[in-house]
Amino acid sequence: MTSLAAYGGLFVAAFAAATLLPAQSEAVLAGLVINGGYSLAVLIGVATLGNVLGSWINWLLGRQVERFKHRRWFPASPAALARAENWYRRYGRWSLLLSWVPVIGDPLTLIAGTLKEPLWSFLGLVGIAKLVRYLAVAAAAQSFI
């Protein structure tokens, strides 16, 4: 596989994994690390960038939630949305450091947009969280080499 295809595939996997779509980027990163032949720093950077951009899409969608939350097809009930908003209000922007956690991370980034979290703090905190996660995945994968 060419380097461009490997990095591009990792970016797409990381981007998709950060949206509300079910996807897995950790396995792709681990596989590329174990396979070798790729810059570890670039792999971590590409995965982090893709994942943060995917989370940014969630943030943008969250900014539009008010327009659609009462529609029948909307995936979350008004009660579930209210619970998530209350949780975010209680723990604040620092909860975005948990944006890497499966199941809760993606909805958390959506709620941050809904509650109008400033983009600068959103990107900073989510970027830190995603970077630390990919550093941990890369370190774990290197232990198999």
Side-chain angles (χ1 to χ4, degrees), residues 32-127:
L32 291 171
V33 169
I34 291 168
N35 185 40
Y38 305 103
S39 165
L40 187 60
V42 174
L43 287 173
I44 292 168
V46 166
T48 301
L49 178 63
N51 215 243
V52 169
L53 288 177
S55 293
W56 176 64
I57 295 298
N58 292 343
W59 180 87
L60 288 172
L61 290 171
R63 304 284 285 196
Q64 302 301 314
V65 161
E66 289 300 316
R67 293 177 45 193
F68 302 112
K69 73 178 183 181
H70 296 295
R71 303 273 172 97
R72 185 181 307 199
W73 52 264
F74 192 74
S77 71
L81 197 55
R83 279 192 307 274
E85 288 174 357
N86 288 335
W87 190 87
Y88 190 83
R89 282 188 182 105
R90 180 176 179 190
Y91 296 104
R93 70 175 40 129
W94 299 106
S95 64
L96 289 170
L97 292 173
L98 298 175
S99 62
W100 66 271
V101 176
V103 180
I104 67 165
D106 298 339
L108 193 58
T109 60
L110 182 93
I111 292 300
T114 302
L115 296 177
K116 312 286 191 266
E117 179 67 38
L119 184 59
W120 66 269
S121 58
F122 175 84
L123 291 176
L125 292 168
V126 169

